[in-house]
Amino acid sequence: MGLAIFCLIFGFTVGYLWRDSRPEKRQKEAPKTKARNIYLSYNERQRAKIRHQSDAERIRELNLLSTNESKFMRLLQHQFTEYKIIIKDKRFYIADQDYYPVAIFEYRDGTKELRLQDKEDGIPVFLYKAILSSEALEEDKLLLKANGA
């Protein structure tokens, strides 16, 4: 009888210790999806173009710039002192004090100089290739002011 009680207590103890030593199965957390309002107004869509999800994303965008793109950004900063320069997807957005985009600048490395102008959703887009002159940027700034930006 004493042996049966000892085996019973020993069995419970070993089972309890064995259960605690097993790695627990973690339940996989469902990835968090952002609830987005599909029906954004025109102004909200324009502001969403330049909005970053976090500061880490903003810093990552700055770190991905090439040497010439960094120089181009500095030229933009010197030309558009009253505006904010926001970098997203290798594009330079010129935004006013309310973070509403006024113009979009793109810079691409190359050997031939190229300067184009277009419109995207009503916002002027300026494409520069291999031009690092402040005179060209000043001309585009005057053009933006003449158009009422």
Side-chain angles (χ1 to χ4, degrees):
M1 176 81 174
L3 184 61
I5 293 175
F6 174 76
C7 286
L8 186 64
I9 293 173
F10 181 75
F12 279 123
T13 306
V14 170
Y16 181 76
L17 293 176
W18 181 71
R19 185 190 73 184
D20 285 345
S21 67
R22 285 189 310 183
E24 294 180 12
K25 294 181 182 177
R26 295 183 181 166
Q27 295 177 354
K28 291 184 180 178
E29 295 180 16
K32 296 179 181 177
T33 57
K34 295 181 280 183
R36 286 185 48 187
N37 185 0
I38 296 171
Y39 305 105
L40 298 175
S41 70
Y42 175 77
N43 290 338
E44 291 169 339
R45 281 196 315 266
Q46 297 305 326
R47 284 191 175 99
K49 282 183 180 181
I50 62 174
R51 189 177 309 130
H52 289 94
Q53 297 298 325
S54 65
D55 284 339
E57 181 185 353
R58 183 181 56 83
I59 293 168
R60 194 174 303 115
E61 293 277 347
L62 287 170
N63 287 337
L64 290 175
L65 294 179
S66 69
T67 306
N68 289 336
E69 288 171 335
S70 297
K71 290 176 185 176
F72 186 72
M73 182 185 72
R74 282 188 223 108
L75 286 173
L76 284 173
Q77 286 174 335
H78 288 292
Q79 280 298 324
F80 296 94
T81 54
E82 64 273 5
Y83 295 101
K84 298 178 187 324
I85 310 294
I86 299 169
I87 295 105
K88 188 154 184 192
D89 299 328
K90 296 247 180 183
R91 296 177 104 184
F92 301 93
Y93 291 88
I94 309 298
D96 60 7
Q97 299 300 324
D98 297 328
Y99 288 97
Y100 187 82
V102 176
I104 302 170
F105 285 84
E106 284 189 43
Y107 178 82
R108 297 184 187 156
D109 289 327
T111 55
K112 283 188 170 181
E113 291 184 358
L114 177 68
R115 185 174 150 206
L116 298 173
Q117 180 182 356
D118 197 10
K119 284 199 177 253
E120 178 182 299
D121 289 338
I123 298 175
V125 177
F126 300 96
L127 173 68
Y128 286 83
K129 185 173 181 182
I131 296 178
L132 290 177
S133 69
S134 59
E135 290 83 20
L137 288 173
E138 189 172 348
E139 290 174 14
D140 288 338
K141 181 181 179 181
L142 292 174
L143 181 69
L144 281 174
K145 286 190 176 190
N147 289 339

